[in-house]
Amino acid sequence: MNLRICVLRSRQGERALRQGRQKLPQGPTARLFVLAVALGWLVCPSLRVRAEAAMAPAGTTLDITLSDLRQRVLQRNESLQSRLLGFEAQRRRSRGEYGVFEPDLYGSYGHEVNNRQNTAVQQASLLGAQTFNETNNNYGFGLESLIPTGARVKLGYTLGDLHNNVQPAQGVTNGEYQTFFGLTVTQPLLKNFGTAATMAGIRLAAISNRVAFQEYRRDLMAMISAAEATYWNLYLAQEQVHFFEESVKTAASILRDNRARFQAGKGSELEVLEAEAGLGLRQAKLAEAQQKEVEAVNRLISLYAQEAPAGGLGVRATDIPQATGEVPEYQTLRQALFDLNPDYLIALEKVQQNRVRLGFARNQRLPELNLKGSYGLNGLGNTLGSSWSDVEQSSYPSWFVGVEFNIPLGGGMKTRNELIAARLEFESSELALRGLKIEILNSLNTAWHKLQSTHGSVAQYQTAVKYNLSLLGAALARLEAGKIESRKVLEIDVDLLEARVSVVESLVRSQIASLELEMLLGVFLEKRHLEITMANLQLATVPFDRSRSLNDPAYQQGLDEVGRRLGETEVQDSRFLNIPVR
């Protein structure tokens, strides 16, 4: 069975499948028809593929724009949601560090029973009593807090409800109440002195909060940028499929003409074989391009957490990449490079973070010298009221001032090594910052040259497309007149195909180079009206506090609030935006 019969039978079988209501012939004719269809089914793979496609449920294709894709990624991408939750967690840690200055309310109660024999000296002081028996209830409460100077302040009240066997001899029948109300202060003078020590945790948490915010900006830029790059790669895959389909149609037309001339005795079998080989090669390339299109679609829908559809491609890119405008001056871009770049800002914050740690480690190397002082008022009476009256009248004040010194005998092994480690980490972060700065500068140079190289190539490739398209039209006319070999026409068609693909590839490379440049400058979000300040992001993530699970309405409310606040920040310096706009 030759190829022509196979195609005819395939078409008959396909038509029969699509027109199920058509009445089939009966008798021997029916058996011959079924046999022909069966042979076509076994011999012609194209018949099986088309029939299976006709019987399979048709998948719906969604036309998606670049703007639609951004919104889908913002709403559904789980990596961005994870970063949002991390930012809110760090914000909570930062707020929690301020609790170091929160006053503590303390209270105590103790029941004491003491029975003993008195010594001769004790008997003399206790009116000859040979034993001493007491049962006391001790109460205490007050406030205790740390202040920014590093001092611990304690304001307290203690009450002793005293009952013993000496009190009746003294004329006391209902026990005694002993009261003390006073203030105690312990102020470090060297180690742990001042705000550098007391607020180190607060400063570190605040820096970590800013780092978390920049990490969110970076991840947001990276995710949206990856989505846009994937979108343009999908557009490239779609165009390649389209170009190969047209090339297949051209090759199939040439094959039909060559066969017709061969059957008419005006052509050779070699020309037919050349046309068949050209068509087969194009069909194979078309299949590869279609597979790449499927892969590009799946990569795209994965960015907004959608499962690949069972039938059909599911998504089709509708936006068309445009050639960028004039490439800005390199020095202009270099001057604005480090103002909004999230990686550089994160590295700067980490240097500051290690500087705070180094300052704290230096403070901890100092010897411990504390100034202690207290002042209070005492009271004693047969009743609670009379005991407190002594306090109110300040009849019996007491005070104390002293100094306490503490130094490790081994020179402070722990604090010494922690200081060395903090110094090394600080120097390491500075080296990392300088290395990152060089890396960003080199990346800018690469992106700038890439943008420059793609800037003029689009027009050149478009010129080649016009030339090869005109050449192919003329060649097909000459082929129809028998003045040129079909091999030459197929070669021209290949040149046209390559030029068409090169135009789209150049446009896509230009878009991706522009994305890289915007990422380096940190203006990617602003150019898409997606920039957000840390204050706005903190306000937007407040509903997460009420969320107990990812299915909680408060969680979705927080995500919606973040989406609403995106784009409220404006970058005022125009040099940040002085890059090609698509």
Side-chain angles (χ1 to χ4, degrees), residues 493-513:
D493 179 67
V494 169
D495 293 338
L496 174 61
L497 176 63
E498 292 178 352
R500 281 181 164 179
V501 172
S502 296
V503 169
V504 181
E505 286 180 343
S506 182
L507 287 171
V508 170
R509 284 197 303 268
S510 179
Q511 299 299 316
I512 294 177

Side-chain angles (χ1 to χ4, degrees), residues 553-566:
Y555 175 71
Q556 186 59 47
Q557 180 185 351
L559 295 179
D560 295 340
E561 183 64 16
V562 172
R564 187 184 71 81
R565 290 181 178 271
L566 286 174

Side-chain angles (χ1 to χ4, degrees), residues 138-175:
N138 299 313
Y139 305 89
F141 64 90
L143 294 173
E144 186 176 5
S145 180
L146 175 72
I147 61 177
T149 62
R152 297 206 68 87
V153 181
K154 182 177 182 181
L155 178 65
Y157 171 78
T158 61
L159 172 66
D161 181 10
L162 310 178
H163 299 271
N164 55 65
N165 61 332
V166 179
Q167 291 168 341
Q170 298 289 340
V172 179
T173 58
N174 295 322

Side-chain angles (χ1 to χ4, degrees), residues 301-501:
I301 63 177
S302 296
L303 293 173
Y304 52 86
Q306 178 177 319
E307 184 181 355
L313 289 174
V315 173
R316 186 174 68 91
T318 58
D319 283 356
I320 300 175
Q322 303 296 326
T324 57
E326 292 296 326
V327 181
E329 293 292 333
Y330 179 79
Q331 290 301 322
T332 302
L333 298 177
R334 193 179 187 279
Q335 292 173 3
L337 181 59
F338 301 105
D339 296 307
L340 293 174
N341 183 283
D343 289 321
Y344 186 78
L345 295 177
I346 289 172
L348 274 179
E349 295 291 355
K350 289 184 177 180
V351 170
Q352 181 63 24
Q353 205 170 41
N354 286 320
R355 182 178 286 111
V356 173
R357 291 193 179 103
L358 179 58
F360 180 77
R362 285 171 176 165
N363 176 269
Q364 296 301 294
R365 280 291 294 156
L366 298 174
E368 189 174 352
L369 177 64
N370 299 328
L371 174 65
K372 291 189 171 183
S374 66
Y375 179 84
L377 300 171
N378 295 298
L380 181 65
N382 295 336
T383 64
L384 180 61
S386 61
S387 174
W388 181 251
S389 295
D390 290 341
V391 174
E392 289 180 335
Q393 296 171 7
S394 303
S395 302
Y396 304 98
S398 64
W399 57 273
F400 166 80
V401 175
V403 177
E404 182 182 69
F405 183 74
N406 187 3
I407 185 170
L409 294 179
M413 180 184 300
K414 179 181 179 181
T415 56
R416 182 176 66 250
N417 285 283
E418 286 179 347
L419 176 59
I420 294 172
R423 184 183 299 114
L424 293 174
E425 288 175 351
F426 175 69
E427 293 173 353
S428 173
S429 62
E430 284 194 320
L431 288 173
L433 178 64
R434 290 200 291 267
L436 179 63
K437 187 174 182 179
I438 296 299
E439 182 180 344
I440 293 174
L441 284 169
N442 290 337
S443 298
L444 173 66
N445 188 274
T446 302
W448 185 74
H449 280 93
K450 186 184 297 185
L451 193 62
Q452 265 199 331
S453 65
T454 58
H455 178 64
S457 60
V458 175
Q460 296 172 355
Y461 285 128
Q462 288 175 340
T463 302
V465 168
K466 292 179 181 179
Y467 170 75
N468 284 286
L469 192 60
S470 175
L471 193 62
L472 179 62
L476 288 173
R478 294 182 65 191
L479 178 65
E480 185 71 22
K483 297 180 179 180
I484 191 175
E485 297 179 353
S486 60
R487 177 172 55 84
K488 295 292 185 181
V489 180
L490 292 172
E491 290 175 356
I492 295 173
D493 179 67
V494 169
D495 293 338
L496 174 61
L497 176 63
E498 292 178 352
R500 281 181 164 179
V501 172

